[in-house]
Amino acid sequence: INKKSIILNKNNLKKFSAVLLVTDHDKYDYKFIAQNSKIVFDTRGVYKKFAFKNIVYCWIMEKKILNLKIQKL
């Protein structure tokens, strides 16, 4: 698997079909990410406090998806 880092900016976010959020860190601007992404899959519940329409909430426990809530885009 080839992996590489990219700079987290508006142009790079718009290049991708989706963002997969698998961890939450204080250093990231989650509002900026959501505003500049087509769709965000949130596995950590970071966006519960926001009202963005492009967020798919996914909570994963014991390798099973327990809850999947898709907001209408």
Side-chain angles (χ1 to χ4, degrees):
I1 298 173
N2 291 328
K3 297 186 263 181
K4 72 176 190 175
S5 297
I6 62 166
I7 296 171
L8 190 61
N9 61 34
K10 184 186 291 191
N11 289 332
N12 283 335
L13 287 169
K14 292 187 182 291
K15 289 179 188 177
F16 292 92
S17 301
V19 170
L20 176 62
L21 178 64
V22 294
T23 188
D24 52 345
H25 293 287
D26 293 336
K27 73 177 192 172
Y28 293 111
D29 184 348
Y30 293 109
K31 185 176 178 182
F32 173 82
I33 293 169
Q35 289 173 332
N36 293 289
S37 300
K38 295 172 185 145
I39 191 165
V40 177
F41 292 91
D42 179 8
T43 67
R44 304 301 298 164
V46 170
Y47 287 102
K48 289 188 293 188
K49 60 187 172 190
F50 298 102
F52 294 108
K53 296 183 187 240
N54 62 331
I55 307 299
V56 176
Y57 299 97
C58 311
W59 291 277
I60 301 173
M61 182 182 288
E62 298 177 342
K63 299 181 183 178
K64 293 181 182 179
I65 295 178
L66 297 178
N67 184 5
L68 176 62
K69 177 183 174 187
I70 301 175
Q71 291 188 345
K72 193 174 186 178
L73 295 179

